[in-house]
Amino acid sequence: QGVEGIQIDRKMGKLGNLSLSQQVNTYDGTQDQNPDSTTQTLVYENQLSKTTSVRTQHSLTRYENGEHETLTSNSLSQALSSRIGVSVTDTKVEREGDKPDETHRDYGFWVDFGKNIRLNYKAVRNLNGDQGDMHNEVTVTPGEAQGVKVGSATYTHNGWDDKRDQSIGNVSLSNV
């Protein structure tokens, strides 16, 4: 497999940052039967204010066999105060023919309790055609408050559209 790429970045001050890239993937067919492809990507990012940032991406991949797919992703992140914030990302992959389209939606928020303790929550919904999964994650960063030391805390739940669920968690607490 061979990969060649080029990327051009332009910082435009208060207008944001623009990035243009192209990546060419070639396969010799000995280990991988994927068709060669060329992906062209445009990314725009900007810090709209001290508390709000946006990012948008548009990619077009053309395959050697004539097929193509388009990826579009848009993100918004907003600090609601110095200790609370939210973020949202919506990504779509559209494909030709009978290949399934994909949709990914990521939602998150964070709360900073001070003393290096921060609660993060993330929910991700993925749809691949008519099949989907859900991923939820809660984490607490290490810190110390009121005589209790939080080493780490994580809870993760994965679900596959009424087929299977998986939950994993751990907590590390100690006295100071």
Side-chain angles (χ1 to χ4, degrees):
Q1 174 183 350
V3 177
E4 292 181 23
I6 185 168
Q7 181 169 323
I8 300 170
D9 295 314
R10 175 73 174 155
K11 294 184 182 201
M12 302 179 296
K14 291 183 179 183
L15 294 176
N17 301 325
L18 187 64
S19 175
L20 302 166
S21 64
Q22 177 170 295
Q23 180 174 314
V24 177
N25 296 312
T26 55
Y27 302 93
D28 62 11
T30 57
Q31 294 182 7
D32 200 333
Q33 300 302 315
N34 290 331
D36 294 351
S37 64
T38 300
T39 301
Q40 296 173 322
T41 302
L42 170 69
V43 176
Y44 173 74
E45 297 177 279
N46 197 1
Q47 187 75 32
L48 298 177
S49 69
K50 288 174 114 180
T51 61
T52 306
S53 63
V54 296
R55 183 180 193 278
T56 186
Q57 174 180 338
H58 181 81
S59 296
L60 174 62
T61 302
R62 291 184 178 94
Y63 295 97
E64 173 183 51
N65 62 7
E67 295 179 354
H68 71 274
E69 69 181 35
T70 303
L71 177 141
T72 304
S73 183
N74 298 295
S75 298
L76 175 66
S77 182
Q78 170 78 48
L80 302 174
S81 73
S82 63
R83 295 187 175 240
I84 299 172
V86 297
S87 64
V88 177
T89 300
D90 182 61
T91 303
K92 291 183 179 5
V93 179
E94 296 176 348
R95 296 185 174 100
E96 312 184 276
D98 59 353
K99 293 186 178 178
D101 294 340
E102 293 181 29
T103 302
H104 306 275
R105 293 195 178 99
D106 301 14
Y107 307 96
F109 70 85
W110 65 92
V111 179
D112 186 344
F113 294 105
K115 308 279 186 180
N116 292 327
I117 299 175
R118 183 170 164 163
L119 172 74
N120 298 300
Y121 173 78
K122 177 170 73 170
V124 178
R125 176 71 172 143
N126 297 311
L127 293 171
N128 188 348
D130 60 355
Q131 300 293 313
D133 62 74
M134 185 74 176
H135 172 84
N136 295 295
E137 184 175 294
V138 179
T139 60
V140 178
T141 58
E144 186 179 308
Q146 301 295 326
V148 175
K149 181 178 179 182
V150 177
S152 68
T154 303
Y155 174 78
T156 303
H157 176 262
N158 297 306
W160 293 267
D161 284 354
D162 300 324
K163 293 180 183 165
R164 189 169 75 113
D165 287 301
Q166 175 189 51
S167 296
I168 304 167
N170 71 47
V171 177
S172 172
L173 301 174
S174 62
N175 293 333
V176 178

